Amino acid sequence: MRSFLFLLLVAFKCFQLQAQSSEIDSLQAVLSELTVNDTAYVDIANEIAFKLSLTDQKNSSYYINLAISTAKDLNYQRGLLRAITLKGNGFLMIGLPDQALSYYLEVLSYKASEYPLEYVRLHNNIGEVYRRKEVFDSSLKYFDKALSLALEKLSQYQPVIIYSNLGEVSLMQGKVNDAESYFKQCLTNAVNTNHLRGQGYGYHGLAECEYRKGVVQNAIRLMKKAIEVRSEANHQRGLIQSYLKLGDYFLTNQVNNPDSALYYWKLTEEKADENQANDLLDETYNRLYSLYLEDRDIEKAAYYLDMHKSLGDSLRNAEFISSVEKMKTAYQAELILAENELLRQEQEQHKAEDEARLIVITLAFTIVLGLGFATFQYRRRQKSRIEAERDAVLTKSLLEFSKYLNEQDLDLAQFIDTLLNKSYEVLRCDRATYWHLDEKSNSLYLAGICERKDSTKIPKTRFTRDQFPKFFDDFMGQRTVAVSQISKDKRLADIYEQYFKPFGIESILNAPILIDGQFVGFISYTMTYNQVRDWDMQEQRYVGSIADLIVAAIAKDKSNRLEIEKEELIKKLRIRNKSLKEFNSVISHNLREPLTQIIGFSDLLTDIPSDADFNEIVARISDASNRIDRVIKELSTVLNEEDPKPSDFRELSLERLIKEVLDLLKIEIKNVNITIEQDLKVKKLKSYRPFLSDAIYHLLSNSLKFAEPEKRLHIKIESYEDDYYKFIKISDNGRGINLNKFADKLFKMYQRYHMDVEGRGIGLFIVKNRVTSLNGLIHVESEEGVGSAFTMEFPKEINMLASKNSQDH
């Protein structure tokens, strides 16, 4: 009777408000006439919230919260379940599936099964969450449950949306034919019931199927039909998704119409921003950035890149802010579910025992049935016990690996080998492999393997992203990649034929190894001899944890190596500084004082009248003393200068630096018949200007000084690089040096090789000193009468110095 009166009231109010602008206005007017003590108040608030959720999320949230608070006060469970489900839907529509899941799990904690329609919607929504998170097994589980409930308990209910969701999951798994079948069922049901949103889902899904099959024109036609229907249904999020996909279709090779793609993506941007669909807006920004970048419109590309990054940060912040609340709610919901499940099992067990007693008393033959039931129960308990023991084994092995990882002296290669050996035994698979990414060739190579003795041996194999792009793409954004039957997975058809099939591999469980978000390799566990294996979530989590341990081991190994190199470098620097200071002290104190006395006595002697010979001797003494004093001052200057700190290094222009040095030598250059050639493939070098300039100056000065008088001097200045080092090479066609005779003395002080040329024999010593202080090495090639070539090499990264020095010295 009460429901009948309520319907009359709704009909009367709708008739009164038929002149108003919309159905929502009518419902709001009805709500204003009801009291908060009426359950109808909750139902109307929920209906308004549902209508507004398509266009106005903010006001929709207000009515949802109103319905929740009122339903709790009235202890109106059905209305409360509907309101909490709508709240989860709101988060799902703006691209926050984890927050939505927390509310859906809260609904499961109530007796939702008493309300079949709400129960069907709830399972469908949870399946949608897992679909967006790409957890396909869980997604299919909930969608199938929703479909079976709808067909079993709701005879008038048309499962349009459920068929659409099953099609979406099949499409994401690469099962195009299955997806097409589901979408056709969706469209048929939607057309029969005039369900506009369902028609939109059907056309959209069929367009995607045509696109996957390569029939792009059909895909465009169907997607335009989806846009038409969704516009009529005012389904804003669906409309945004269709605009986004249609833009993608226009950029295919078959169509190649960037202008149309840009038009639909701009519509997507406008609609997504208007409806707060942040996840779709983020995808749109990324596509617009790529499109403008390809058109070389750098300004617009930069704008959309910034928008993409900013929105991505805000989405992650939103996830983080609610993570604690989400985890708490999920935990409570799971606890309640576990308690309900335990109670249900106990009730079932008591019921089975009662039935067994009755059957034993009445009919003798039912003893067999009772024994069979008892056996089933025993086996189920045995299965639970085995699973618990297996979980304990997996956990124990991870703890052992973690303990091994924390050891002080970690050998990375041995650690990975141990990890593969023990983990493939724990998982009881046929082979475990570790693949490492070679950044230089952008290819994966087999870096570690453990396998059964009777397995087909895998040769040293390499493959690149370009060869198998779909195989590589599976690793991005997923913790693990599990495939039970590779031969049936169309995504892996190419790599299956070339790699998996020849070695009898049918099932794989892979986990990517990511360091700072960069893919550096993966671990793989396989079943051979065409064995099919369904990898459960427990095994997938275990392999994901193994990958995390390898990442931690790589980080620790890198840290250990850097610490060792640092200590070795400090030790060498201390020894060098100590020896240099001692040498400088000996030079300064043991020679400087007598030289000072010689100079003083020479000055006195010049004042005493004497003959010409005596004055000449005195002059020579004075000249020699001054020259010795000058050499000691030069040595003191060289040896007392401190090596530059890393903070002293700057990015230098080699072209400008060499020009400055040549300007310093312009007088010497003018006096020589010379050609200077420059080939600077490396334009810039991070170094300390005074030391690098000094080294280049002395090498060029020596080339000028030791030129062959009878031929034109040719000096060549080059710069080039490899993967790890930058090089500066100065070569000439001058007199050259006999390296067989002077190689071991080449860079020592006061070594001269051409006595007819004036010099002090300190230039190459200064060059070697400067290059060493700049973390570099110097090499020489020379032949007497042919010329010399000096090559200075500097590491691109300072951290490489210790290993390189240990190899060369």
Side-chain angles (χ1 to χ4, degrees):
M1 186 65 180
R2 182 172 182 165
S3 299
F4 177 73
L5 291 174
F6 167 69
L7 290 174
L8 285 177
L9 178 60
V10 171
F12 175 74
K13 286 296 179 182
C14 289
F15 176 77
Q16 278 190 324
L17 301 172
Q18 61 181 347
Q20 295 187 13
S21 59
S22 68
E23 183 182 359
I24 294 175
D25 293 335
S26 300
L27 291 171
Q28 288 173 332
V30 172
L31 186 67
S32 66
E33 296 294 326
L34 297 172
T35 65
V36 292
N37 296 324
D38 194 340
T39 56
Y41 187 93
V42 177
D43 292 332
I44 294 295
N46 278 332
E47 189 63 25
I48 294 172
F50 173 74
K51 298 290 184 183
L52 288 172
S53 67
L54 304 176
T55 56
D56 189 349
Q57 278 290 328
K58 184 176 181 181
N59 285 325
S60 175
S61 297
Y62 165 78
Y63 284 101
I64 290 171
N65 293 331
L66 182 64
I68 290 174
S69 62
T70 306
K72 287 181 177 179
D73 291 340
L74 298 175
N75 197 25
Y76 179 33
Q77 190 173 44
R78 183 178 181 278
L80 180 60
L81 299 184
R82 177 64 171 155
I84 296 174
T85 302
L86 286 173
K87 195 173 185 70
N89 293 351
F91 282 106
L92 195 60
M93 290 181 70
I94 62 173
L96 297 174
D98 287 332
Q99 285 84 339
L101 182 61
S102 68
Y103 287 102
Y104 296 150
L105 291 176
E106 182 182 353
V107 174
L108 275 180
S109 67
Y110 296 92
K111 295 180 180 179
S113 58
E114 295 178 6
Y115 309 100
L117 180 58
E118 300 301 328
Y119 208 43
V120 168
R121 288 172 175 169
L122 179 62
H123 279 79
N124 182 65
N125 290 345
I126 295 176
E128 175 63 9
V129 169
Y130 283 117
R131 182 187 70 80
R132 294 195 187 183
K133 293 165 69 67
E134 298 185 355
V135 185
F136 300 126
D137 291 341
S138 296
S139 179
L140 286 172
K141 169 187 170 183
Y142 282 99
F143 285 144
D144 285 337
K145 179 69 173 179
L147 183 61
S148 63
L149 284 169
L151 297 176
E152 178 184 346
K153 297 187 177 182
L154 300 171
S155 58
Q156 301 300 318
Y157 181 80
Q158 291 296 329
V160 174
I161 305 301
I162 302 174
Y163 281 129
S164 171
N165 288 333
L166 285 167
E168 286 289 343
V169 175
S170 299
L171 205 57
M172 294 174 77
Q173 291 182 306
K175 301 174 182 178
V176 179
N177 292 334
D178 291 348
E180 189 174 28
S181 175
Y182 283 125
F183 286 126
K184 285 181 178 178
Q185 286 180 292
C186 169
L187 185 59
T188 301
N189 278 266
V191 170
N192 291 338
T193 58
N194 197 29
H195 192 300
L196 291 178
R197 291 188 71 180
Q199 292 178 38
Y201 287 123
Y203 284 123
H204 184 100
L206 289 172
E208 276 292 88
C209 292
E210 291 297 310
Y211 175 69
R212 296 290 180 90
K213 292 191 293 186
V215 189
V216 180
Q217 293 296 341
N218 282 353
I220 291 173
R221 178 180 58 78
L222 288 167
M223 193 59 75
K224 287 183 177 180
K225 185 66 177 176
I227 289 172
E228 178 184 342
V229 173
R230 286 176 163 178
S231 297
E232 184 179 353
N234 197 25
H235 183 196
Q236 294 300 315
R237 182 174 179 84
L239 191 60
I240 295 167
Q241 292 172 327
S242 295
Y243 283 147
L244 190 62
K245 285 293 182 182
L246 190 54
D248 292 343
Y249 296 170
F250 279 108
L251 281 185
T252 59
N253 292 333
Q254 297 179 31
V255 181
N256 193 21
N257 189 342
D259 292 335
S260 295
L262 179 61
Y263 168 77
Y264 283 106
W265 286 343
K266 294 296 284 184
L267 284 177
T268 307
E269 179 187 7
E270 177 184 347
K271 290 288 185 181
D273 185 43
E274 178 182 329
N275 290 277
Q276 301 178 21
N278 292 333
D279 56 333
L280 298 177
L281 185 59
D282 189 45
E283 290 184 38
T284 307
Y285 285 153
N286 193 27
R287 283 171 167 79
L288 288 169
Y289 158 70
S290 300
L291 183 62
Y292 282 122
L293 186 64
E294 184 147 344
D295 288 343
R296 301 187 180 279
D297 191 339
I298 303 303
E299 182 178 350
K300 290 184 179 178
Y303 167 78
Y304 281 106
L305 179 61
D306 288 340
M307 295 297 289
H308 171 58
K309 289 181 177 178
S310 299
L311 187 56
D313 290 340
S314 67
L315 288 174
R316 285 189 291 272
N317 289 337
E319 293 269 5
F320 176 77
I321 290 170
S322 62
S323 61
V324 175
E325 181 183 355
K326 175 193 71 178
M327 290 173 64
K328 179 180 177 182
T329 304
Y331 173 76
Q332 291 173 344
E334 289 176 1
L335 184 61
I336 293 171
L337 280 175
E339 291 174 352
N340 290 340
E341 180 66 17
L342 182 61
L343 180 61
R344 185 185 65 79
Q345 290 178 0
E346 289 177 353
Q347 291 172 346
E348 286 182 356
Q349 185 174 357
H350 291 317
K351 182 179 178 181
E353 290 173 355
D354 292 340
E355 289 176 352
R357 291 191 194 97
L358 181 62
I359 293 172
V360 168
I361 293 171
T362 56
L363 295 170
F365 74 90
T366 55
I367 295 175
V368 176
L369 181 62
L371 290 174
F373 181 78
T375 302
F376 169 76
Q377 291 286 73
Y378 171 75
R379 288 178 178 175
R380 187 172 66 175
R381 287 194 295 270
Q382 283 291 95
K383 182 180 179 182
S384 299
R385 182 182 61 79
I386 292 170
E387 289 179 352
E389 290 176 353
R390 184 157 169 266
D391 184 52
V393 170
L394 296 178
T395 303
K396 182 181 178 182
S397 71
L398 288 175
L399 290 174
E400 289 176 355
F401 295 149
S402 298
K403 183 179 178 181
Y404 185 10
L405 177 63
N406 291 327
E407 290 182 2
Q408 188 66 26
D409 299 325
L410 177 70
D411 185 320
L412 180 60
Q414 185 177 351
F415 176 77
I416 293 177
D417 186 59
T418 302
L419 213 60
L420 294 177
N421 263 304
K422 293 191 175 181
S423 61
Y424 105 100
E425 290 176 358
V426 168
L427 288 173
R428 301 189 302 278
C429 61
D430 296 336
R431 182 184 291 116
T433 53
Y434 168 54
W435 299 81
H436 189 71
L437 181 66
D438 181 358
E439 294 182 358
K440 185 176 180 180
S441 61
N442 195 28
S443 63
L444 284 166
Y445 66 90
L446 184 61
I449 183 170
C450 294
E451 58 187 346
R452 284 170 36 188
K453 293 182 179 179
D454 57 348
S455 298
T456 305
K457 302 303 178 186
I458 299 178
K460 294 294 183 181
T461 307
R462 280 180 178 262
F463 49 87
T464 66
R465 183 186 296 272
D466 294 334
Q467 286 178 282
F468 312 114
K470 294 180 180 178
F471 179 74
F472 275 84
D473 290 344
D474 273 348
F475 290 123
M476 308 316 295
Q478 297 192 51
R479 181 168 173 79
T480 56
V481 178
V483 182
S484 299
Q485 198 168 1
I486 305 173
S487 59
K488 303 296 184 183
D489 195 321
K490 295 181 180 179
R491 297 173 303 166
L492 306 178
D494 49 359
I495 194 172
Y496 174 74
E497 292 295 330
Q498 295 187 40
Y499 175 71
F500 292 125
K501 186 176 180 180
F503 301 110
I505 299 172
E506 184 59 29
S507 296
I508 60 170
L509 174 56
N510 296 343
I513 298 173
L514 305 173
I515 298 179
D516 295 331
Q518 298 297 316
F519 176 75
V520 299
F522 70 95
I523 52 173
S524 180
Y525 297 84
T526 59
M527 301 300 295
T528 57
Y529 300 104
N530 298 320
Q531 297 180 79
V532 175
R533 176 169 175 176
D534 291 323
W535 306 94
D536 58 35
M537 291 304 298
Q538 192 179 38
E539 292 168 332
Q540 293 185 44
R541 286 194 296 269
Y542 176 75
V543 172
S545 298
I546 294 293
D548 292 339
L549 285 170
I550 292 178
V551 171
I554 292 172
K556 183 174 181 180
D557 179 69
K558 183 178 180 181
S559 176
N560 288 345
R561 285 189 289 106
L562 290 175
E563 189 63 29
I564 291 170
E565 291 172 1
K566 177 183 174 182
E567 290 175 359
E568 289 180 353
L569 185 58
I570 291 173
K571 183 178 178 181
K572 290 178 181 178
L573 288 173
R574 284 175 177 168
I575 294 171
R576 181 173 177 272
N577 286 338
K578 183 178 178 181
S579 62
L580 288 174
K581 288 179 180 177
E582 289 175 354
F583 177 76
N584 187 46
S585 177
V586 170
I587 293 294
S588 297
H589 290 85
N590 294 357
L591 293 181
R592 190 70 182 273
E593 183 179 352
L595 286 173
T596 303
Q597 293 175 356
I598 291 173
I599 294 169
F601 284 128
S602 297
D603 290 339
L604 291 174
L605 288 172
T606 55
D607 295 335
I608 300 173
S610 58
D611 56 22
D613 292 335
F614 183 74
N615 285 335
E616 183 180 352
I617 292 170
V618 171
R620 289 182 179 180
I621 292 172
S622 177
D623 181 62
S625 300
N626 285 324
R627 282 189 285 109
I628 293 173
D629 184 59
R630 184 170 63 253
V631 170
I632 292 173
K633 287 179 179 178
E634 290 173 350
L635 286 174
S636 296
T637 300
V638 171
L639 296 174
N640 279 331
E641 278 198 56
E642 293 185 0
D643 288 346
K645 301 185 290 295
S647 59
D648 296 328
F649 282 56
R650 298 288 185 272
E651 194 79 20
L652 305 178
S653 166
L654 288 181
E655 186 176 359
R656 185 182 302 169
L657 185 67
I658 291 169
K659 182 179 182 303
E660 292 172 358
V661 173
L662 291 175
D663 286 343
L664 293 174
L665 294 168
K666 60 185 177 182
I667 295 175
E668 290 85 344
I669 292 172
K670 187 180 295 185
N671 295 329
V672 179
N673 184 15
I674 186 172
T675 299
I676 298 177
E677 178 186 354
Q678 295 189 41
D679 182 14
L680 303 179
K681 294 183 175 64
V682 173
K683 304 296 184 183
K684 293 189 178 293
L685 175 67
K686 191 170 186 179
S687 186
Y688 181 54
R689 177 184 287 274
F691 278 24
L692 183 60
S693 175
D694 207 10
I696 295 173
Y697 174 85
H698 282 286
L699 289 176
L700 290 175
S701 177
N702 279 359
S703 294
L704 293 166
K705 189 183 297 182
F706 298 107
E708 285 280 16
E710 61 273 9
K711 64 181 179 183
R712 183 180 181 83
L713 177 62
H714 180 82
I715 297 177
K716 185 174 183 180
I717 306 171
E718 304 173 73
S719 67
Y720 51 93
E721 65 183 327
D722 61 17
D723 291 340
Y724 305 105
Y725 295 89
K726 293 185 178 182
F727 302 88
I728 300 175
K729 182 176 181 180
I730 298 176
S731 55
D732 61 54
N733 62 342
R735 294 189 178 189
I737 303 170
N738 187 342
L739 293 181
N740 293 329
K741 184 176 180 181
F742 298 113
D744 58 338
K745 301 177 182 180
L746 193 61
F747 294 106
K748 294 184 178 180
M749 291 183 291
Y750 307 123
Q751 298 300 317
R752 299 179 62 195
Y753 317 110
H754 302 286
M755 305 307 294
D756 59 324
V757 178
E758 183 181 353
R760 299 190 300 278
I762 198 171
L764 290 180
F765 170 76
I766 292 174
V767 171
K768 176 66 180 295
N769 179 275
R770 295 305 191 227
V771 172
T772 302
S773 297
L774 294 174
N775 302 319
L777 297 171
I778 186 165
H779 310 283
V780 61
E781 302 169 59
S782 187
E783 184 178 348
E784 196 168 19
V786 177
S788 302
F790 290 86
T791 304
M792 298 176 286
E793 66 175 70
F794 303 98
K796 291 182 176 179
E797 295 183 17
I798 300 301
N799 293 340
M800 295 166 51
L801 176 65
S803 60
K804 180 65 178 174
N805 283 339
S806 64
Q807 294 171 14
D808 290 334
H809 297 294

